[in-house]
Amino acid sequence: MIRGRELTFRILLAEDNTVNQQVALGLLETLGYGADAVANGIEVLEALNRIRYELDLVDCQMTRLDGYETTRLIRQLELQGETPLDSRMPVYIIAMTANAIEGDREKCLAAGMNDYLSKPVLLEELKVALNRHGQIRPIVVAPDKASSSEILVDINHLREVAHDQADRLQELIDLYLVEAGPMLDGLGQAIRSNSSGEVARIAHEFVGCSLFCGVDAFTQPLRALERLGQQGNLSGADALLADVRHKFPRVQSAFTQLVQTLQTSNS
């Protein structure tokens, strides 16, 4: 059973990227919540068939069964009274999406979701969303995240996720780098083979993974690669990937400096 301030309830996290899962679980833990994690919509439905979860955090762009369709199926099961789901006590579903575009919130609500968070999910924004569920206190709008094209890594976000613990931060960074390398190689292979769909898929996953870890350095070129892949036209994709590859070692260096700084401050 999961305890959060004045409420005791179960949380289910649905996220198909391992790094994103760990970051989201870390944010929840920082706020005093535990959660069970699954990797896709099929596993969400299987979990809900076994356990009564009061709140679901659902990634919209999961493989196999995305967050939109998963939510629609949950609402259908609730109306049918499928145990342990019940329309009298519907699951509170918070969407998570890397596509912060106009109309996206409306799309989430139309699918039956209750709330919406854009990636990267920030600690204060998650806190507000959870408070909205429990009506624990009046809602406070979280401040806008400062942005700059020169920022490589959002240090504050990473430190929050890692609880200012050097070993935990190192574990998260190592996991990100292990996943990022193959994604970089996969993008290169997909571009060379003119596989636009694969470019869009990998770029989308890379954006979400990077944002969850506070990596701002190459968000724009990755989003541009995703758009090119969706449009089926990879003209200019090589230059965009070159930009990502050029900045990647600088991100690694920023990670190293952050870990060293945290180790020094904690010693």
Side-chain angles (χ1 to χ4, degrees):
M1 189 63 66
I2 297 162
R3 183 170 300 279
R5 298 188 183 87
E6 301 172 4
L7 297 178
T8 300
F9 57 93
R10 291 182 181 271
I11 298 177
L12 181 66
L13 169 69
E15 168 62 64
D16 61 358
N17 182 279
T18 305
V19 174
N20 296 355
Q21 263 195 19
Q22 293 304 308
V23 172
L25 289 171
L27 291 173
L28 287 166
E29 185 177 336
T30 299
L31 294 173
Y33 298 92
D36 296 329
V38 295
N40 57 63
I42 299 296
E43 293 181 3
V44 169
L45 297 175
E46 292 174 348
L48 290 174
N49 188 49
R50 298 190 304 269
I51 300 173
R52 169 70 195 181
Y53 289 94
E54 284 78 14
L55 187 145
D56 287 2
L57 282 163
V58 180
D59 178 34
C60 291
Q61 288 82 30
M62 293 182 294
T63 56
R64 293 187 65 186
L65 192 65
D66 66 26
Y68 303 110
E69 186 60 27
T70 300
T71 299
R72 282 189 281 266
L73 290 172
I74 290 172
R75 297 310 185 211
Q76 289 176 13
L77 292 172
E78 287 173 339
L79 289 174
Q80 295 167 9
E82 297 288 340
T83 305
L85 297 172
D86 188 334
S87 60
R88 292 171 297 178
M89 296 181 63
V91 179
Y92 193 89
I93 301 176
I94 301 176
M96 301 182 296
T97 177
N99 292 333
I101 59 176
E102 185 177 354
D104 211 43
R105 180 182 180 87
E106 289 71 20
K107 182 178 179 182
C108 291
L109 297 179
M113 297 167 173
N114 301 94
D115 209 340
Y116 166 95
L117 290 170
S118 60
K119 294 180 180 179
V121 176
L122 304 180
L123 185 67
E124 282 304 312
E125 293 175 357
L126 177 59
K127 179 181 178 181
V128 168
L130 292 174
N131 285 351
R132 262 199 295 266
H133 165 267
Q135 297 179 346
I136 297 175
R137 60 178 63 140
I139 304 306
V140 178
V141 178
D144 291 336
K145 176 184 173 183
S147 60
S148 169
S149 59
E150 297 301 318
I151 294 176
L152 294 174
V153 178
D154 185 341
I155 302 301
N156 291 333
H157 176 73
L158 263 179
R159 294 186 68 154
E160 284 178 350
V161 170
H163 299 266
D164 270 352
Q165 297 175 12
D167 55 347
R168 188 165 186 169
L169 184 65
Q170 186 67 68
E171 181 181 354
L172 179 61
I173 289 172
D174 290 344
L175 182 58
Y176 173 79
L177 295 176
V178 165
E179 299 228 349
M183 284 190 281
L184 272 173
D185 294 338
L187 279 172
Q189 294 171 6
I191 291 170
R192 287 192 296 272
S193 62
N194 200 35
S195 302
S196 56
E198 191 68 0
V199 169
R201 183 191 67 79
I202 297 174
H204 177 83
E205 182 179 359
F206 204 170
V207 166
C209 180
S210 297
L211 290 176
F212 258 109
C213 287
V215 178
D216 296 329
F218 33 70
T219 297
Q220 291 184 356
L222 285 174
R223 288 196 185 280
L225 279 169
E226 183 181 2
R227 286 193 297 271
L228 291 180
Q230 291 170 342
Q231 295 165 2
N233 180 2
L234 298 182
S235 300
D238 285 317
L240 291 168
L241 180 59
D243 187 23
V244 177
R245 289 190 183 279
H246 173 70
K247 293 175 179 175
F248 191 71
R250 295 170 59 196
V251 169
Q252 291 176 299
S253 177
F255 279 153
T256 300
Q257 293 175 21
L258 175 58
V259 172
Q260 290 173 347
T261 299
L262 203 54
Q263 287 174 336
T264 301
S265 62
N266 289 344
S267 62

